[in-house]
Amino acid sequence: MGLPEGITAVLFDLDGVLTSTAAVHQRAWRTTFDDLLRERDGDGFSPFTESDYLRFVDGRPRYEGVREFLASRNVDLPKGEPDDEPGHGSVHAVGNLKNRLLESIIARDGVTAYPGSVRYLEAVRAAGLPIGVVTASANGELVLEKAGLTPFVDTRIDGVVLARDGLRGKPAPDSFLAGARALGVEPGSAAVFEDALAGVQAGRAGGFGHVVGVNRGNQADALVEHGADVVVADLADLLARRR
């Protein structure tokens, strides 16, 4: 599998690692934040950028991402409640607005799994390694189903589980540690696959045996700096290494 000896289980982030939905998330965030900023600052507002996405939002739980980005723009909103009506009145309202937009895009356009990731999942499954998906998204089940990846997954730790169990989101290692427990392995025996800097940090902080950075955002050096043992452009590159 292109992995070190002693790795007996694998834990994958979802958006940007297995599926192309990271771009869909970024698009939904951009629309949501740009509308909020335009309402606040007028047509001369400074738009939400890819750099903003990678620094403040990517890999983090939804509402934490809202807080981090708004703080970077000196926007202070009340926390609100999880069932707030989607809008701009609270952190939860903004997060819910983004999620409603994301769901509408997925319903209309579907979800695409990266072909190289499917090849890698097939190889891992053939090798008999248990597979976990660890994502901050509360839409993990939906995305896996739409992408046709559900049959590969032995356990799923997503935003719903984080909220239910009071787990901290990435860059804290809680979600990956929960994935390892669910698969019945020690962290040192599991490999983590992440495209987000916060996710790579989480894998390193959790003491995992191998952390693979997946470079979808032209940030190979930053992935290494945040703790990746190796960086690849596509998971299929790991299969090529074993030849």
Side-chain angles (χ1 to χ4, degrees):
M1 301 301 96
L3 300 173
E5 291 185 12
I7 297 297
T8 60
V10 289
L11 296 166
F12 297 95
D13 178 48
L14 180 56
D15 304 306
V17 173
L18 299 182
T19 66
S20 60
T21 38
V24 181
H25 279 277
Q26 185 175 339
R27 177 180 166 191
W29 280 121
R30 183 173 64 245
T31 298
T32 300
F33 284 135
D34 281 0
D35 286 349
L36 184 155
L37 293 169
R38 185 182 293 108
E39 180 182 282
R40 176 179 181 267
D41 300 331
D43 289 340
F45 76 99
S46 180
F48 180 77
T49 66
E50 181 178 10
S51 176
D52 290 325
Y53 176 74
L54 294 174
R55 290 178 62 196
F56 303 118
V57 176
D58 191 23
R60 300 178 187 273
R62 187 190 312 155
Y63 304 123
E64 182 179 331
V66 173
R67 286 192 297 270
E68 290 287 325
F69 173 70
L70 293 184
S72 78
R73 298 297 184 91
N74 297 311
V75 177
D76 185 22
L77 292 179
K79 179 180 179 181
E81 300 294 336
D83 60 353
D84 279 356
E85 185 69 19
H88 299 157
S90 70
V91 168
H92 281 94
V94 173
N96 293 343
L97 181 61
K98 177 265 177 179
N99 196 57
R100 184 170 69 182
L101 179 56
L102 177 75
E103 290 176 345
S104 69
I105 295 172
I106 290 175
R108 185 186 68 225
D109 300 338
V111 173
T112 301
Y114 290 109
S117 297
V118 175
R119 285 177 54 202
Y120 194 76
L121 286 170
E122 291 171 342
V124 170
R125 176 61 74 213
L129 274 65
I131 296 170
V133 166
V134 178
T135 173
S137 174
N139 298 293
E141 182 177 13
L142 172 66
V143 170
L144 286 169
E145 187 64 31
K146 289 283 189 180
L149 300 180
T150 302
F152 290 106
V153 181
D154 297 303
T155 192
R156 183 186 75 251
I157 307 296
D158 59 13
V160 175
V161 176
L162 266 65
R164 183 195 69 199
D165 296 348
L167 301 176
R168 296 173 298 167
K170 306 166 188 176
D174 301 27
S175 55
F176 280 123
L177 293 173
R181 285 194 299 271
L183 294 178
V185 299
E186 293 297 320
S189 299
V192 163
F193 298 76
E194 263 286 358
D195 70 312
L197 301 182
V200 168
Q201 281 184 274
R204 179 56 56 217
F208 285 86
H210 196 57
V211 180
V212 179
V214 184
N215 186 29
R216 308 285 191 195
N218 193 27
Q219 54 179 355
D221 290 343
L223 289 166
V224 172
E225 290 168 3
H226 283 74
D229 293 301
V230 64
V231 174
V232 295
D234 187 87
L235 294 189
D237 295 346
L238 293 167
L239 299 177
R241 293 183 179 202
R242 63 183 181 169
R243 295 189 185 125

